[in-house]
Amino acid sequence: MNKRDLIQALTKVLSTKKEAKDALEKIFSTIKYSLIAGEKVTIKGFGTFYTKHFKAKKFTNPKTKQTSMLIPKHKVKFKPSKYLLM
């Protein structure tokens, strides 16, 4: 299932395809900006989206034996609800 399929499913509930697309875009942008702000996004019966911070760390290239640093970053994680796959 992709974004187009989600819009088609929403079109069955909403009156037009444009309304469905706008609704889906609003949902995705709200989730995105909540995650950027460091908030958890929980959708009951589906799961939780959250960000995890990874510190900077050293690593060594095995071929060249050169040591470098990985930059610190945030990654989005998803924990499914226990009811999702029932």
Side-chain angles (χ1 to χ4, degrees):
M1 178 174 257
N2 57 25
K3 191 174 179 180
R4 186 179 329 148
D5 297 334
L6 289 171
I7 291 171
Q8 288 295 329
L10 279 175
T11 304
K12 295 175 184 175
V13 178
L14 299 172
S15 59
T16 65
K17 191 173 182 178
K18 182 173 179 358
E19 285 181 359
K21 183 179 178 184
D22 291 342
L24 193 62
E25 289 294 332
K26 183 64 176 173
I27 291 168
F28 287 155
S29 67
T30 303
I31 291 171
K32 175 180 151 183
Y33 289 119
S34 294
L35 290 171
I36 288 171
E39 300 173 8
K40 283 186 180 181
V41 178
T42 302
I43 302 169
K44 189 171 181 164
F46 183 70
T48 302
F49 295 94
Y50 61 96
T51 56
K52 184 167 181 176
H53 177 73
F54 291 90
K55 297 178 187 176
K57 62 181 180 179
K58 289 183 183 180
F59 75 96
T60 304
N61 184 339
K63 281 187 175 181
T64 63
K65 306 293 188 222
Q66 180 182 3
T67 303
S68 299
M69 290 290 291
L70 287 176
I71 59 173
K73 56 183 143 186
H74 288 81
K75 288 189 176 183
V76 175
K77 299 288 187 172
F78 176 73
K79 182 179 178 190
S81 168
K82 63 182 179 180
Y83 304 112
L84 181 63
L85 299 175
M86 289 186 129

